[in-house]
Amino acid sequence: MARTVFPAGFTWGTAAAAYQVEGSPLADGAVASTWHEFTHRRGTVRDGTNGDVACDHYHRFSEDVAQMRRMGLAAYRFSVAWGRIVPSPGAVNEKGISFYQRMVDSLLEAGVEPWVTIFHLEEPVWLARQGGFEKRSSVDHLVSLGEILFARLGDRVHHWITVNEPSVYAYQGYMTGEFPPGRKFAVRPLFACQHHLLLAHARLCAAWEARGMDGMIGLAHHALWAAPARPQDPRDCEAAMVMDELSNGSVLDPLVRGSYPQRALRRVGRFLPRTLDHDLPEMRRMGTYIGVNYYARYAYRWSRFMPILHSTEYHAPDAPRSAMWEIYPDGLYRILDRLRTDYGNPPCFITENGFPLAEKGGAPALDDTPRIAYLADHLAAVGRAIAGGADCRGYFLWSLLDNFEWNYGLSMRFGLIRTDFVTQERTWKKSAGWYTDVIRANAVDQ
Ligand code: BGC
């Protein structure tokens, strides 16, 4: 058995997002998000469920915080539902603010540090009606949400995540149509959306710095490991490099280097907002750390039929897969190592990593041994990166509870704790006890 020991003070947490756990999306003066609208449209969610109740965290958060305490979590990452706080442009809903204040208080009382995500893949319908993140005005709206949160929670919250996964929001919303606004192959809006989210990140960091607040602020990047399907084929290698630049470089380079990756620029430059050159110097603002959400490797093949990118995703028949993706722990090591070698070794946190298991009828699956194996392998990869000098300071497991997994719905389960979506009963799975032991030992065995 091999043991990986983490540095003293390494932060152990779990992560979640408002629409995925809270339920009661229209309670106490909240207005609808695009997710609320989207999930009430037929054919948008694979199992036909929605986030109307989800984990009922809106009413049961104290119970869930008690679970966190029992597990020994040092930190809990959660997001705010924008529409609870800002029901219309310029307005503030006190009841929404009060919900998050109570949540923060209850976490602090339990000795769990709150990490607040300002934007987690969820915008109010009023913003979408104005064109959402396709329009530059979205940047100001998101920054004013941040200002409200800094002002009203900033005395107790010292860890912020500005934006979760700009690339995913843009790609799923405007290319695959699996997320709202549900558009497909809308290439120009896709790049506009990502660009505006990155610009908003930079301005949120600036606003936070201007207030002289202490603590940390950063963006959670969806880091994927892009690999050629046939490493010996130069065209596959080129396809993987393009996809790597588009998914990783086009988020990290503006933030850290104030530039856009060249190979990607050659392919998609004509679709990028005309303001790119003007904005890049301002966008060069990482904050105080980089958040890494990592789940999987993607293999790419060159394809004549795919316009512009000439690349298509390939599932190798022998590659190990979860219910959603290819399992590739080494990708996490490589991403962290690349942050060290190519991006100046910034402080970083694993802001998400987790394993989906679909539950198919019958008895609840409490023995989630494959999840434990996945998590242990990924933690060992983090340990290797740290041993090699990467400045990784913590790990947030996705997720504490089974919750609403976006377009997959309630049946795709990521939780350490099983949620019974009928009775709302919470039951520890094997992985919950395992994670408790990892936290206690500050080490993982494989
Ligand atoms: C998102 C989460 C999501 C998780 C698993 C990330 O892309 O930030 O909201 O549930 O991955 O798919």
Side-chain angles (χ1 to χ4, degrees):
M1 196 186 284
R3 168 161 273 219
T4 306
V5 179
F6 291 85
F10 192 77
T11 300
W12 295 101
T14 63
Y19 188 76
Q20 297 183 269
V21 295
E22 286 176 359
S24 307
L26 304 178
D28 299 329
V31 297
S33 69
T34 50
W35 268 103
H36 178 69
E37 222 184 45
F38 191 70
T39 56
H40 284 262
R41 240 188 274 156
R42 278 170 81 87
T44 50
V45 179
R46 291 183 186 211
D47 63 3
T49 56
N50 58 49
D52 284 5
V53 181
C55 308
D56 195 26
H57 188 65
Y58 191 70
H59 297 112
R60 294 168 196 264
F61 69 86
S62 321
E63 193 190 312
D64 295 333
V65 171
Q67 302 276 16
M68 297 175 204
R69 191 210 283 258
R70 194 176 146 205
M71 212 172 265
L73 292 188
Y76 177 55
R77 176 185 167 213
F78 64 95
S79 74
V80 299
W82 191 339
R84 286 199 200 285
I85 294 178
V86 185
S88 60
V92 176
N93 176 24
E94 285 302 325
K95 287 189 173 161
I97 299 267
S98 139
F99 168 64
Y100 293 110
Q101 285 175 333
R102 280 181 286 124
M103 171 112 95
V104 165
D105 287 344
S106 125
L107 287 165
L108 290 174
E109 233 169 79
V112 181
E113 189 69 25
W115 283 56
V116 176
T117 309
I118 299 170
F119 176 87
H120 194 120
L121 311 179
E122 184 188 343
E123 69 186 67
V125 167
W126 61 254
L127 184 72
R129 296 273 184 274
Q130 300 177 11
F133 279 93
E134 254 184 82
K135 294 280 173 337
R136 198 171 171 93
S137 52
S138 58
V139 177
D140 293 339
H141 287 300
L142 185 49
V143 173
S144 29
L145 171 65
E147 292 279 18
I148 297 169
L149 297 171
F150 296 151
R152 305 297 300 277
L153 299 176
D155 56 338
R156 284 159 281 181
V157 173
H158 305 296
H159 294 88
W160 299 91
I161 289 140
T162 54
V163 175
N164 181 70
E165 300 192 344
S167 56
V168 169
Y169 196 62
Y171 188 77
Q172 309 270 86
Y174 295 94
M175 179 57 79
T176 68
E178 289 171 305
F179 284 9
R183 293 175 58 188
K184 292 188 179 154
F185 300 104
V187 181
R188 216 173 277 282
L190 182 164
F191 286 110
C193 171
Q194 174 167 309
H195 181 79
H196 293 139
L197 283 167
L198 291 178
L199 187 58
H201 157 78
R203 291 192 182 166
L204 283 164
C205 291
W208 181 81
E209 280 164 27
R211 283 172 180 268
M213 295 169 76
D214 64 336
M216 300 194 94
I217 191 163
L219 169 145
H221 165 55
H222 183 86
L224 57 85
W225 188 254
R230 294 160 298 194
Q232 68 286 5
D233 183 330
R235 290 182 311 179
D236 283 10
C237 292
E238 172 68 16
M241 283 192 279
V242 169
M243 295 312 289
D244 174 51
E245 284 198 357
L246 278 169
S247 35
N248 293 315
S250 73
V251 174
L252 296 177
D253 288 17
L255 252 61
V256 180
R257 302 176 173 150
S259 63
Y260 207 83
Q262 288 309 308
R263 194 179 256 107
L265 202 57
R266 279 199 297 278
R267 298 288 172 106
V268 302
R270 63 185 188 278
F271 302 112
L272 294 170
R274 285 208 197 89
T275 54
L276 180 73
D277 288 341
H278 171 266
D279 292 336
L280 276 172
E282 187 184 356
M283 289 161 85
R284 184 177 192 174
R285 199 166 209 135
M286 181 188 83
T288 61
Y289 70 92
I290 299 239
V292 174
N293 294 359
Y294 177 83
Y295 291 91
R297 174 173 95 144
Y298 290 75
Y300 295 101
R301 258 186 167 165
W302 185 85
S303 156
R304 161 200 344 259
F305 303 110
M306 275 302 278
I308 310 162
L309 302 179
H310 294 298
S311 103
T312 154
E313 208 190 313
Y314 173 72
H315 290 182
D318 51 345
R321 290 186 73 81
S322 70
M324 287 168 75
W325 303 295
E326 184 181 335
I327 300 171
Y328 190 67
D330 203 42
L332 182 51
Y333 165 79
R334 291 181 183 210
I335 298 275
L336 292 176
D337 198 53
R338 186 197 265 180
L339 283 178
R340 181 180 69 83
T341 53
D342 296 3
Y343 290 94
N345 204 15
C348 64
F349 290 82
I350 308 303
T351 34
E352 278 183 40
N353 177 236
F355 186 81
L357 268 174
E359 201 172 276
K360 297 183 192 86
L366 297 177
D367 182 346
D368 55 348
T369 304
R371 172 171 291 117
I372 295 174
Y374 175 97
L375 297 171
D377 289 348
H378 284 75
L379 278 171
V382 174
R384 258 192 300 135
I386 295 174
D391 189 4
C392 181
R393 302 184 182 181
Y395 176 90
F396 290 78
L397 196 155
W398 186 276
S399 192
L400 182 74
L401 303 169
D402 289 339
N403 59 46
F404 181 76
E405 177 49 29
W406 304 122
N407 57 310
Y408 283 84
L410 295 172
S411 39
M412 190 59 83
R413 292 166 179 267
F414 276 86
L416 297 172
I417 299 179
R418 179 174 188 273
T419 309
D420 182 319
F421 292 109
V422 177
T423 63
Q424 287 299 335
E425 196 186 341
R426 275 76 164 131
T427 314
W428 279 35
K429 302 181 194 173
K430 198 170 168 189
S431 59
W434 171 86
Y435 195 46
T436 308
D437 292 343
V438 169
I439 296 172
R440 199 172 298 135
N442 198 35
V444 69
D445 294 320
Q446 258 180 318

